[in-house]
């Protein structure tokens, strides 16, 4: 973005692994030309970890270093493991979308991804107890947090349309 031009909105797409963040986030960014940042991938590349989470069997994100790294971003896509959403991006986010998927569907997607045993069960429990939605509502102003169903390709299309419409409105009003 050129210097002096207005910034684009910061959008967080979050949800339990397998709910469709990567698919939807890539699609949105392609359509509108925003930077697309998959926080999970960047954390992996730069080793932005601080320990290991036994429950979800994944690395724990080093939130301070992640925040430093993403302070420049105009489009943020967060790939949660257990640490989910308590990244201190609060001040910079304009909207948060939490993707939700039914248990059976999510189970199949995660199994296909190679999850099994405790890791699979814990992630399904995470979705059943709407952990990420609750954490999002606690971490951000509830009015900017929106729940989106993500069970079928049609729902993915609807979500894409909703996000694109929101971006258009945001752009008009800024
Ligand atoms: P995440 O980034 O949240 O881990 P993903 O985008 O990698 O999830 O999607 C996981 C798998 O599920 C992938 O094979 C695409 C599929 N998928 C995602 N959202 C979907 C939807 N709304 N309907 C059908 N399949 C979907």
């Amino acid at each position: 973005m050129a210097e002096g031009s207005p910034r684009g909105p910061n959008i967080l797409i979050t949800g339990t692994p397998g709910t469709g963040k990567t698919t939807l986030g890539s699609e949105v960014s392609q359509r509108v030309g925003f930077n697309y940042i998959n926080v999970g991938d960047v954390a992996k590349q730069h080793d932005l970890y601080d320990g290991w989470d036994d429950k979800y069997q994944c690395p724990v994100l080093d939130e301070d270093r992640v925040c430093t790294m993403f302070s420049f971003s105009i489009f943020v896509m967060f790939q949660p493991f257990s640490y989910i959403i308590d990244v201190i991006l609060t001040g910079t986010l304009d909207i948060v979308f939490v993707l939700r998927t039914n248990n059976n569907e999510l189970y199949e997607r995660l199994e296909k991804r190679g999850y099994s045993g405790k890791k699979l069960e814990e992630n399904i429990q995470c979705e059943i107890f709407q952990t990420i939605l609750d954490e999002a509502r606690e971490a951000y102003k509830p009015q900017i947090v929106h729940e989106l169903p993500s069970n079928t390709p049609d729902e993915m299309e609807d979500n894409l349309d909703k996000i694109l419409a929101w971006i258009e409105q945001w752009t008009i009003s800024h």
Side-chain angles (χ1 to χ4, degrees):
M1 190 173 286
E3 204 180 321
S5 64
R7 73 171 177 91
N10 289 321
I11 301 168
L12 174 67
I13 300 178
T14 187
T16 306
T19 50
K21 300 175 298 295
T22 307
T23 312
L24 184 62
S26 319
E27 194 65 36
V28 172
S29 64
Q30 273 171 33
R31 299 284 188 100
V32 294
F34 285 0
N35 291 336
Y36 164 75
I37 298 166
N38 184 318
V39 176
D41 286 351
V42 178
K44 208 187 236 173
Q45 276 160 19
H46 297 272
D47 196 23
L48 305 177
Y49 297 131
D50 182 22
W52 179 258
D53 188 301
D54 269 341
K55 186 174 173 190
Y56 292 99
Q57 299 183 16
C58 66
V60 177
L61 199 70
D62 183 335
E63 291 169 11
D64 289 344
R65 287 173 63 215
V66 166
C67 286
T68 306
M69 191 124 198
F70 289 114
S71 56
F72 61 86
S73 68
I74 60 163
F75 185 92
V76 173
M77 191 271 172
F78 189 57
Q79 175 86 21
F81 298 105
S82 61
Y83 40 77
I84 304 169
I85 205 166
D86 42 353
V87 167
I88 316 140
L89 288 166
T90 315
T92 68
L93 287 175
D94 297 294
I95 195 156
V96 176
F97 295 104
V98 183
L99 302 186
R100 303 299 311 280
T101 303
N102 296 332
N103 311 334
N104 292 343
E105 172 70 20
L106 188 62
Y107 197 97
E108 279 180 24
R109 289 185 200 169
L110 292 179
E111 251 190 341
K112 262 193 209 150
R113 188 179 277 185
Y115 284 26
S116 62
K118 195 174 157 209
K119 184 167 179 146
L120 178 56
E121 292 302 330
E122 291 290 358
N123 279 287
I124 297 295
Q125 291 287 321
C126 174
E127 187 61 6
I128 290 172
F129 290 116
Q130 63 174 57
T131 310
I132 298 192
L133 181 64
D134 288 348
E135 293 200 7
R137 286 177 175 152
E138 275 171 35
Y140 306 108
K141 285 188 224 132
Q143 62 268 32
I144 70 161
V145 177
H146 301 269
E147 193 176 355
L148 296 176
S150 179
N151 300 291
T152 62
D154 279 354
E155 286 179 345
M156 177 66 75
E157 281 300 313
D158 285 351
N159 295 338
L160 181 61
D161 290 346
K162 274 185 198 147
I163 295 177
L164 294 177
W166 180 87
I167 292 171
E168 204 179 328
Q169 277 308 309
W170 191 96
T171 308
I172 291 166
S173 61
H174 288 75

